[in-house]
Amino acid sequence: MILADKTWQRLRRIPPSYLVFAALLLTLWVLRPHMMNPNILGIFIRQIVPLGILVLGQLLVMRVRSIDLSGGGVILLINYYISSGLFPGASMMTFVAMAIATGLVIGTFNGVMIAKRRVSAVIVTLAVSIVLVGFVQYLSSGKPPGDVPAMFAALYNTKLLGIPTPVLLWIVLTLLMSLFLARTVFGRAVASVGENLSAAHFSGVAVERTVIVAHILAGLMAALAALVQTASIAVGSVRVGLDLPILAVAATILGGVVFGRGEGGVWGPFFGVLSFALLFILMTTLGVDEPGKLIIQGFIILLAAIFYGVRSAKP
Amino acid sequence: MPPSSPDHPAQPMKPSYLKWLLGQGSRQGLWSLPLFIALAIALGLSLTTQQFTSTGNLFNLITQAMPLIITAIGQMFVILIGGLDLSVGSVISLSTAILALGGPAYVLIPAVFLLAALIGAVNGLVVTRLNVHPIIATLSMQYIVLGVTRILRPVSGGTVPDIVIASVSGTLLGIPLPVFWGIAVLLLSWKLLHGARFGLHLFAIGGGIASGMEKVAHNFGVAERRNILLAYVTCSCFAALAGVFLAGRIVSGDPNVGLLFELDAITAVAIGGTQLSGGVGSLHGTVIGALVMALLANGMNLTNMSPFIQTTVKGAILLLVVGLQSRKKMGL
């Protein structure tokens, strides 16, 4: 049987995102060779950094069998702080500190509600997002707030070592997360909670604390994503980032991390996000219209999930 | 007392009336609190505004709430088996788009329901046969259906068959037709949930999944896969029905009319005390949940409050209601 074959088994352990990424890169290279320019690709990839950072939090909570849909609300709220002019004269560091504090508070709330109160993670994080979105829209009366301080855009447009700074930030954060999961006790706790909650509990893993910490880190990542997103659009908005959490779930799954299972590690989802970036570049240069993009995106997520679902069925 | 574990947290003893009020140990979940909230909003509105209790406004409320009630009831069937259907919003949009294609009603209306059943069946098959998580399976379906809808109808327009418009805007014996829609939907869903084995089987499957014993219903002779598949088909068809109703109200096809409707439907179901881990929930709770949301919207209109604070209140009620329910399962 081909399914029992060793090589086939090994092939199927590769997260779908690597294959999708390679296939998309090849297609782009064949069809639009002039797009294979690091500068052009860099500009496109820079736009997807907020999603990439959000995915780092999403993969963490998904590995402990939870989900975080509150990222959209967090991004909107932080964008509002910075662009509304509510805090005149605040320095950039103040804004960064405020953003991080917001992310930590919301992450803690999510984590405690999910781990201690045992409320459905979908519902809590959805409700938090609804509350935050409503709150921001109420404060701004539905009108877009003002401009973002110029420093943000200036920093966003810089390059370090030839790489756009936001992309570099994303890579550094991904490296940190990968080290954190591979080298620390917390990383082991995450893996064991995902594998089997009860077994982890009876083996002495502080299950509730692990889930709470995962959500706090996800809140922190949402705050960082919000800062990059705000810098990238340079104006306030009442709609920014609302579809990002769902896209983050999709990219994470494409990267081979499904609720409780994390074979894709951190780099699988990383390439999942890059695949989304490439997909948009490819479809845009090929002139695929909006509906076509949606359909292709849906099919890619579905195929990646089927690939993983079928695999999980038989050990 | 057994030691506390992730699946069996140690819980303080509660007096029995409190247990009943919080819906603990009941298959119906916490529906008394949402009912109280709905009554409180209605009472508050009837005291503070003149228009609320007028017949016109009450019928208006029913008409406004109907698409959400229909979609939420459909969503409840899927949530009862521990699933989730994120594609209902797209199915609603697709239904309005198909009705606005132009053509005889006796072709278009069956086409809407056939297509919805097909979408539900694909969702169900992907979930049951290919073992894809429901959130992911229905999310990708949401994208695909939305894409198809935008190809059919990039911007809102077209006209829907007269009979669809008449069935929503007309009156019978002086009573607006949406009231009859409501009665029909309630009868149908009551029949499915309590008047047929289907509903009982859904509770059995969901209860097993919620308590971590996925095969228990199967072992007692319930055709798990078939019933799960049928739950997704039912959910999609209810969404299509909501789409037909909406098409009758807006008189045209609109690719964005169902946008984010899935989140509203899930919110209504959750407010009504149905638990997302499966096996616990009720039809009346779901209707109450949808009514709470409709009352909020109606009340904000009548009292000229900012429509945006309504979103926040909705989220806060959702947090309050689910925060008061206890369950064993941690996570999704």
Side-chain angles (χ1 to χ4, degrees):
Chain A
M1 246 289 293
I2 184 167
L3 289 177
D5 187 63
K6 276 265 168 60
T7 340
W8 177 241
Q9 288 284 335
R10 200 163 300 148
L11 263 180
R12 304 218 306 174
R13 207 159 293 154
I14 302 172
S17 59
Y18 293 165
L19 306 176
V20 173
F21 182 72
L24 288 172
L25 206 60
L26 195 69
T27 321
L28 189 66
W29 184 60
V30 171
L31 295 177
R32 291 287 185 277
H34 62 275
M35 290 296 290
M36 297 297 284
N37 172 331
N39 281 326
I40 299 179
L41 290 184
I43 290 170
F44 277 103
I45 290 171
R46 194 176 66 173
Q47 290 172 0
I48 210 145
V49 169
L51 178 66
I53 296 176
L54 201 61
V55 159
L56 290 175
Q58 193 66 259
L59 73 93
L60 198 57
V61 291
M62 278 172 69
R63 286 197 59 179
V64 294
R65 293 171 184 272
S66 186
I67 196 168
D68 189 352
L69 300 176
S70 66
V74 175
I75 290 175
L76 204 60
L77 181 65
I78 290 172
N79 176 273
Y80 184 75
Y81 287 169
I82 297 175
S83 61
S84 63
L86 270 184
F87 309 97
S91 73
M92 191 161 164
M93 284 327 284
T94 322
F95 281 132
V96 171
M98 279 169 62
I100 289 177
T102 308
L104 292 177
V105 168
I106 289 169
T108 313
F109 178 80
N110 287 340
V112 170
M113 287 294 274
I114 291 161
K116 295 279 184 193
R117 284 293 319 167
R118 302 288 165 96
V119 183
S120 158
V122 177
I123 295 296
V124 173
T125 57
L126 184 65
V128 166
S129 196
I130 292 174
V131 169
L132 293 179
V133 169
F135 183 59
V136 169
Q137 289 183 336
Y138 172 65
L139 287 179
S140 60
S141 312
K143 287 190 289 287
D147 288 341
V148 171
M151 290 170 292
F152 279 95
L155 193 59
Y156 180 76
N157 287 322
T158 55
K159 276 189 176 184
L160 274 177
L161 315 166
I163 308 169
T165 315
V167 179
L168 199 65
L169 174 72
W170 177 28
I171 295 173
V172 168
L173 284 173
T174 310
L175 262 174
L176 284 176
M177 184 62 82
S178 120
L179 284 175
F180 189 58
L181 283 177
R183 305 277 166 182
T184 62
V185 177
F186 174 76
R188 296 295 171 86
V190 166
S192 58
V193 169
E195 204 67 49
N196 187 323
L197 214 113
S198 298
H201 172 76
F202 288 113
S203 315
V205 174
V207 172
E208 294 183 353
R209 198 173 65 203
T210 308
V211 174
I212 293 176
V213 172
H215 272 281
I216 293 176
L217 287 174
L220 177 66
M221 290 303 158
L224 296 177
L227 288 171
V228 178
Q229 179 75 284
T230 304
S232 78
I233 56 170
V235 288
S237 164
V238 287
R239 293 213 48 84
V240 57
L242 287 184
D243 57 342
L244 279 186
I246 285 286
L247 272 179
V249 173
T252 309
I253 289 156
L254 198 60
V257 175
V258 196
F259 304 105
R261 294 183 307 121
E263 286 95 332
V266 172
W267 296 103
F270 180 85
F271 279 97
V273 175
L274 281 182
S275 302
F276 272 5
L278 268 189
L279 191 65
F280 283 120
I281 298 173
L282 193 63
M283 290 193 298
T284 309
T285 59
L286 291 181
V288 177
D289 49 0
E290 184 66 27
K293 281 183 187 170
L294 285 168
I295 295 177
I296 294 173
Q297 203 179 339
F299 270 112
I300 288 186
I301 298 170
L302 187 63
L303 289 178
I306 289 174
F307 179 90
Y308 259 63
V310 171
R311 237 198 55 202
S312 74
K314 297 276 172 287
Chain B
M1 209 165 107
S4 126
S5 87
D7 295 333
H8 300 280
Q11 295 214 330
M13 295 292 281
K14 287 187 183 127
S16 58
Y17 68 88
L18 201 61
K19 270 189 145 174
W20 181 82
L21 259 182
L22 290 178
Q24 287 175 3
S26 155
R27 200 173 71 182
Q28 301 188 333
L30 173 61
W31 57 269
S32 51
L33 178 70
L35 178 63
F36 178 72
I37 293 175
L39 290 177
I41 299 174
L43 188 69
L45 285 175
S46 54
L47 290 178
T48 52
T49 64
Q50 302 267 304
Q51 311 98 301
F52 178 72
T53 41
S54 73
T55 342
N57 183 55
L58 288 180
F59 285 140
N60 201 3
L61 181 69
I62 292 174
T63 312
Q64 278 173 356
M66 198 51 59
L68 183 60
I69 291 177
I70 300 173
T71 322
I73 290 175
Q75 186 72 252
M76 177 198 66
F77 285 101
V78 172
I79 291 181
L80 277 180
I81 46 134
L84 209 58
D85 190 345
L86 298 178
S87 66
V88 290
S90 296
V91 172
I92 291 175
S93 303
L94 178 69
S95 305
T96 68
I98 291 177
L99 285 179
L101 278 179
Y106 58 84
V107 175
L108 291 178
I109 294 176
V112 163
F113 286 100
L114 271 177
L115 211 58
L118 181 73
I119 292 168
V122 172
N123 279 338
L125 282 175
V126 171
V127 169
T128 55
R129 297 285 165 173
L130 298 171
N131 300 306
V132 175
H133 195 283
I135 292 182
I136 301 148
T138 58
L139 173 69
S140 39
M141 188 54 87
Q142 179 194 338
Y143 282 124
I144 295 168
V145 175
L146 191 62
V148 172
T149 309
R150 294 218 168 132
I151 290 175
L152 283 177
R153 188 150 292 286
V155 289
S156 67
T159 42
V160 301
D162 289 338
I163 184 157
V164 176
I165 303 170
S167 74
V168 175
S169 55
T171 56
L172 183 67
L173 308 170
I175 299 168
L177 285 173
V179 176
F180 296 100
W181 275 72
I183 294 170
V185 166
L186 284 183
L187 283 177
L188 174 68
S189 43
W190 194 90
K191 174 73 184 158
L192 283 172
L193 199 61
H194 298 296
R197 279 189 200 173
F198 176 57
L200 194 62
H201 286 179
L202 292 189
F203 276 108
I205 296 168
I209 289 175
S211 44
M213 296 177 285
E214 308 232 338
K215 283 276 171 217
V216 69
H218 173 81
N219 291 346
F220 278 97
V222 175
E224 276 200 349
R225 284 175 166 174
R226 194 180 66 208
N227 280 299
I228 292 177
L229 181 86
L230 284 176
Y232 282 97
V233 172
T234 312
C235 179
S236 259
C237 288
F238 270 73
L241 190 63
V244 173
F245 186 92
L246 270 171
R249 269 189 69 197
I250 58 178
V251 201
S252 59
D254 185 344
N256 296 321
V257 70
L259 215 63
L260 298 179
F261 225 92
E262 60 278 354
L263 297 185
D264 273 353
I266 296 168
T267 307
V269 174
I271 288 180
T274 300
Q275 295 201 2
L276 265 80
S277 43
V280 174
S282 65
L283 182 59
H284 52 275
T286 304
V287 175
I288 292 168
L291 280 179
V292 166
M293 291 174 63
L295 278 168
L296 275 177
N298 189 258
M300 300 288 164
N301 278 341
L302 292 182
T303 53
N304 284 329
M305 255 191 225
S306 155
F308 301 114
I309 201 77
Q310 171 196 338
T311 318
T312 308
V313 174
K314 200 164 74 182
I317 289 181
L318 182 58
L319 272 179
L320 173 75
V321 173
V322 294
L324 277 173
Q325 301 175 60
S326 70
R327 62 171 201 177
K328 288 168 182 167
K329 193 172 170 253
M330 194 197 297
L332 298 170

